[in-house]
Amino acid sequence: MLKKVAKSDYNRKEGFVISQLQLNYTSEMEKAMHSAHGVGYALYSLKHEVRMKIEEKRQRNYIKSQRMIADLDRRVHS
């Protein structure tokens, strides 16, 4: 059985939409986000690609800092 398609459905794109993140942030957090990553929280919450890029950068920085701490710890305790 075929379903009749309404004219309004012809231009509709299929797929899914990831909704905007609901973030609570202060003006200081906004300034820090701009200075560290060059984007604000509004764009960060809207664009998945931007979020992923920033989170990958944060992950790299975290790993780098953990390696520095481990190196310093080895120097102090050897």
Side-chain angles (χ1 to χ4, degrees):
M1 177 178 194
L2 294 175
K3 178 182 172 188
K4 185 175 181 180
V5 178
K7 260 191 173 184
S8 62
D9 288 341
Y10 287 131
N11 295 328
R12 188 176 71 172
K13 293 183 179 180
E14 295 298 322
F16 62 95
V17 175
I18 298 174
S19 64
Q20 178 179 356
L21 295 177
Q22 298 298 320
L23 301 173
N24 296 323
Y25 55 91
T26 64
S27 61
E28 290 82 15
M29 292 168 64
E30 181 75 16
K31 290 176 191 175
M33 179 68 104
H34 268 287
S35 67
H37 305 291
V39 297
Y41 273 97
L43 183 62
Y44 177 83
S45 68
L46 284 173
K47 300 285 186 172
H48 178 72
E49 296 84 17
V50 171
R51 282 196 306 270
M52 293 307 300
K53 190 175 187 180
I54 290 172
E55 293 306 321
E56 287 169 355
K57 181 179 176 183
R58 286 179 174 169
Q59 182 68 23
R60 285 191 304 270
N61 287 339
Y62 174 77
I63 291 169
K64 183 178 176 181
S65 69
Q66 293 300 304
R67 288 179 181 157
M68 288 173 49
I69 291 169
D71 185 45
L72 288 172
D73 196 39
R74 277 192 302 273
R75 289 181 187 188
V76 168
H77 296 304
S78 43

